[in-house]
């Protein structure tokens, strides 16, 4: 085929995506195992609720207590804000890629295509394993929240109940996932909004016997605790709390209208970070002192020591702690529902590209990756380990594979976007063809990648020195940093397996057409808005909203 004919074929594919939708090869990976199609049953309202409230769970409602105890209220807000800003840039980069390439596997596929197949293999399995191991933890967490009312019942009973509920949701496929997330996210959003109002009333002395509190706890015991060690300790907790935000990109392949739904959903992340995380945590730091010894137990699934529940109890409100504990139960079930979506879609996409066992690529007529669902629910059976005497120790090690993995995945999303933009320019394409462009472009992804790297360094330091007077301990270090050596092992394994030792894919060799949905541009007819100081506020509003 001549260069002119090849170029014409690629341009034809860009205009008509269906012409290459049935392709059975991927230039970076090799032969792809094709199976049934995932159904595009997610509507815009589902995507928006997944973006706003999908990942709100134990990381915010329980884990924030340990972060407050370790670092103080100022460190808590700054740490969550840094991770939140990093995620804003990451989600904008992911939105640009997901609108252009609404393909199965999302960021895993982008890393394979635009960065390196071996790194994509490592990121795909790292992400899938993280969700596989989080599910049994969430099931135990849901069971422990029930102990708030019925401590006489065995947790294994509730693990069984919630596992059956999750299995029933899977019968309805991606539409079931979307509807459940839509309803549960609305409840979580209402609870967060209610706590902000209640927190203001408590702070002003409207309830309880403490009178006006103001910013007293920022002075005594203080805004910061344990110096840089305490500040660095916030990042892993924040990563776990924000984990799942990237599911919006993963859902692009099953969205009815990704070009409209993905940008709108990614912009909703701004509200979630600013309102549901930062404002809630600011209010929390005002009404609950960071030296409260009960916060030592605010970790894992112990909802009885949720800082939100403790703050309400301290105000002397009788019924509300039970209501908020019910919200935590709902939140944990919501995250467990997200587990089944995140892991199954990633494993199915990897199997299609020969990076996972072939049987995992199977998708039935209802659009469900059936064997992947079976594997995920089988991991849910590990929830019964929580009943064993040393079961929680096992979960500490299992969860060490999840928290840190989000930094690797988010950083890889930013890197894939940078490489995509460089390849787009190198191959002579114009930016006007990209349906949705991240507001800060390649620079936003560079900032996001840099912040991810800084968070990894801070977490490494905290894993070595959790407190100012501590000494390095091997077990404590790997409980926080086990995901890093696992990623390295996965990366090196695929290098040996594939025999490809190049660091990067050459920019001119990157396939920009497979699965692409570029715009058809008539440059003569397009009107480009001139950037001036006068229209800067409106441009910022359009970028955010």
């Amino acid at each position: 085929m001549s260069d002119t004919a090849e170029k014409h074929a690629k341009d034809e594919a860009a205009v008509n995506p269906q012409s290459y939708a049935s392709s059975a090869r991927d230039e970076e990976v090799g032969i792809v195992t094709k199976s049934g199609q995932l159904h595009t049953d997610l509507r815009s309202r589902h995507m928006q609720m997944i973006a706003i409230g999908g990942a709100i769970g134990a990381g915010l409602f329980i884990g924030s207590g340990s972060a407050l105890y370790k670092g103080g209220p100022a460190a808590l807000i700054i740490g969550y804000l840094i991770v939140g800003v990093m995620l804003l840039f990451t989600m904008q980069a992911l939105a640009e890629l997901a609108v252009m390439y609404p393909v199965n596997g999302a960021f895993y596929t982008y890393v394979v295509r635009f960065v390196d197949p071996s790194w994509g293999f490592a990121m795909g399995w790292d992400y899938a394993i993280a969700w596989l191991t989080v599910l049994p933890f969430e099931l135990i967490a849901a069971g422990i929240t029930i102990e708030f009312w019925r401590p006489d019942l065995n947790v294994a009973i509730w693990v069984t109940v919630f596992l059956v509920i999750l299995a029933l949701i899977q019968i309805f496929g991606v539409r079931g996932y979307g509807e459940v997330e839509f309803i549960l996210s609305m409840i979580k959003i209402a609870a967060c909004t209610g706590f902000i109002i209640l927190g203001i009333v408590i702070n002003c002395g409207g309830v309880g016997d403490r009178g006006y509190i103001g910013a007293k706890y920022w002075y005594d015991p203080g805004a910061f605790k344990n110096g840089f060690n305490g500040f660095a300790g916030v990042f892993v907790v924040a990563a776990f709390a924000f984990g799942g935000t990237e599911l919006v990109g993963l859902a692009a392949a099953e969205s009815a209208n990704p070009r409209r739904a993905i940008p709108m959903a990614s912009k909703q992340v701004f509200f979630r970070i600013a309102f549901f995380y930062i404002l809630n945590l600011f209010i929390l730091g005002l009404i609950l002192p960071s030296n409260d010894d009960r916060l030592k137990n605010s970790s894992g699934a112990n909802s009885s020591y949720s800082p939100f529940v403790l703050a309400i109890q301290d105000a002397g409100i009788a019924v509300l702690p039970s209501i908020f504990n019910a919200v935590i139960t709902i939140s944990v079930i919501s995250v467990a529902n997200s587990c089944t979506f995140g892991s199954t879609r990633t494993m199915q996409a990897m199997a299609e590209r020969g990076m996972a066992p072939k049987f995992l690529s199977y998708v039935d007529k209802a659009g469900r990756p059936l064997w992947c669902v079976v594997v995920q629910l089988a991991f849910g059976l590990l929830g019964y380990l929580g009943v064993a005497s040393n079961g929680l120790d096992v979960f500490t090690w299992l969860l060490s594979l999840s928290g840190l993995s989000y930094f690797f995945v988010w950083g890889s999303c930013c890197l894939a976007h940078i490489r995509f933009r460089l390849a787009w320019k190198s191959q002579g394409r114009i930016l006007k063809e990209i349906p949705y462009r991240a507001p800060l472009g390649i620079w936003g992804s560079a900032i996001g990648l840099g912040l991810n790297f800084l968070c990894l360094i801070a977490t490494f330091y905290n894993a070595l020195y959790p407190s100012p007077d501590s000494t390095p301990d091997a077990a404590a270090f790997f409980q926080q940093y086990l995901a890093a050596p696992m990623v390295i092992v996965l990366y090196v394994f695929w290098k040996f397996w594939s025999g490809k030792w190049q660091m990067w894919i050459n920019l001119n060799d990157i396939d920009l057409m497979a699965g692409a949905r570029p715009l058809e541009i008539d440059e003569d007819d397009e009107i480009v808005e001139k950037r001036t100081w006068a229209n800067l506020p409106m441009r910022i509003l359009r970028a955010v909203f």
Side-chain angles (χ1 to χ4, degrees), residues 124-134 343 379 401-402 486 490:
W125 274 115
D126 179 50
Y127 188 73
I129 291 172
W131 281 121
L132 287 171
T133 54
V134 165
S343 64
F379 265 80
L401 299 173
S402 60
M486 186 186 71
L490 289 169

Side-chain angles (χ1 to χ4, degrees), residues 104-164:
N104 191 19
F107 41 84
Y108 151 73
T109 306
Y110 306 146
V111 175
V112 168
R113 289 176 59 173
F114 304 131
V115 183
D116 173 55
S118 297
W119 189 249
F121 174 82
M123 289 301 97
W125 274 115
D126 179 50
Y127 188 73
I129 291 172
W131 281 121
L132 287 171
T133 54
V134 165
L135 176 60
F137 164 77
E138 297 293 345
L139 292 174
I140 289 181
I144 292 178
T145 59
I146 303 297
E147 287 187 339
F148 186 86
W149 301 288
R150 294 295 303 271
D152 57 313
L153 297 179
N154 195 302
V155 174
I157 297 173
W158 302 111
V159 170
T160 304
V161 170
F162 294 128
L163 190 58
V164 170

Side-chain angles (χ1 to χ4, degrees), residues 382-437:
L382 293 175
Y384 294 109
L385 288 175
V387 183
S389 57
N390 61 342
L392 294 180
D393 293 333
V394 175
F395 270 105
T396 300
W397 287 101
L398 286 176
L399 288 176
S400 65
L401 299 173
S402 60
L404 195 67
S405 68
Y406 295 118
F407 288 130
F408 285 105
V409 170
W410 296 334
S412 297
C413 289
C414 293
L415 180 59
H417 179 246
I418 293 171
R419 295 275 300 169
F420 160 72
R421 280 293 190 95
L422 293 175
W424 195 260
K425 182 179 180 180
S426 177
Q427 296 185 28
R429 316 292 298 198
I430 59 175
L431 290 180
K432 295 173 185 177
E433 294 178 275
I434 301 175
Y436 173 76
R437 297 190 291 274

Side-chain angles (χ1 to χ4, degrees), residues 177-460:
Y177 162 73
E179 294 295 349
V180 169
E181 283 304 299
F182 180 80
I183 296 170
L184 299 187
S185 292
M186 289 183 66
I187 296 173
K188 291 187 286 185
I189 289 169
C192 288
T193 305
F195 181 82
I196 291 172
I197 298 172
L198 176 64
I200 294 173
V201 173
I202 293 173
N203 185 260
C204 295
V207 294
D209 57 359
R210 289 180 292 177
Y212 175 73
I213 300 174
K216 178 173 69 175
Y217 297 139
W218 281 61
Y219 294 97
D220 182 22
F224 293 93
K225 286 179 62 180
N226 298 318
F228 182 75
N229 307 75
F231 175 68
V234 174
F235 287 108
V236 171
V237 180
F240 189 78
F242 281 109
T245 305
E246 68 292 332
L247 287 173
V248 173
L250 198 63
E254 297 172 80
S255 171
N257 187 1
R259 183 168 290 183
R260 179 177 180 272
I262 299 297
M264 190 180 298
S266 66
K267 290 176 182 179
Q268 300 296 330
V269 175
F270 171 82
F271 296 102
R272 192 176 99 188
I273 292 170
F275 188 75
F276 300 117
Y277 280 85
I278 304 305
L279 190 54
N280 264 281
L281 294 176
F282 175 70
I283 296 294
L284 182 67
L286 289 177
I287 61 178
L288 191 67
S290 60
N291 62 350
D292 191 321
D293 287 336
R294 294 173 298 177
L295 293 176
K296 290 180 181 179
N297 302 312
S298 295
S299 60
N302 202 343
S303 64
S304 298
Y305 293 94
S306 162
F308 292 79
V309 173
L310 294 178
I312 296 171
Q313 287 177 334
D314 289 349
I317 305 174
V319 180
L320 203 53
S322 290
I323 296 176
F324 210 89
N325 191 73
V327 172
I328 296 175
T329 305
I330 290 171
S331 301
V332 170
I333 295 172
S334 171
V335 175
N337 187 40
S338 297
C339 290
T340 60
F341 181 80
S343 64
T344 55
R345 271 56 180 182
T346 303
M347 289 190 294
Q348 194 273 335
M350 295 184 70
E352 280 193 336
R353 288 156 182 79
M355 292 185 171
K358 183 178 179 179
F359 74 93
L360 293 176
S361 67
Y362 174 72
V363 177
D364 67 7
K365 293 181 180 180
R368 298 168 298 194
L370 209 56
W371 288 112
C372 294
V373 172
V374 171
V375 171
Q376 176 66 86
L377 294 177
F379 265 80
L381 297 175
L382 293 175
Y384 294 109
L385 288 175
V387 183
S389 57
N390 61 342
L392 294 180
D393 293 333
V394 175
F395 270 105
T396 300
W397 287 101
L398 286 176
L399 288 176
S400 65
L401 299 173
S402 60
L404 195 67
S405 68
Y406 295 118
F407 288 130
F408 285 105
V409 170
W410 296 334
S412 297
C413 289
C414 293
L415 180 59
H417 179 246
I418 293 171
R419 295 275 300 169
F420 160 72
R421 280 293 190 95
L422 293 175
W424 195 260
K425 182 179 180 180
S426 177
Q427 296 185 28
R429 316 292 298 198
I430 59 175
L431 290 180
K432 295 173 185 177
E433 294 178 275
I434 301 175
Y436 173 76
R437 297 190 291 274
L440 292 184
I442 198 171
W443 295 109
S445 294
I447 295 172
L449 180 60
L451 289 175
N452 270 283
F453 186 69
L454 290 176
C455 288
L456 285 171
I457 293 175
T459 305
F460 180 84

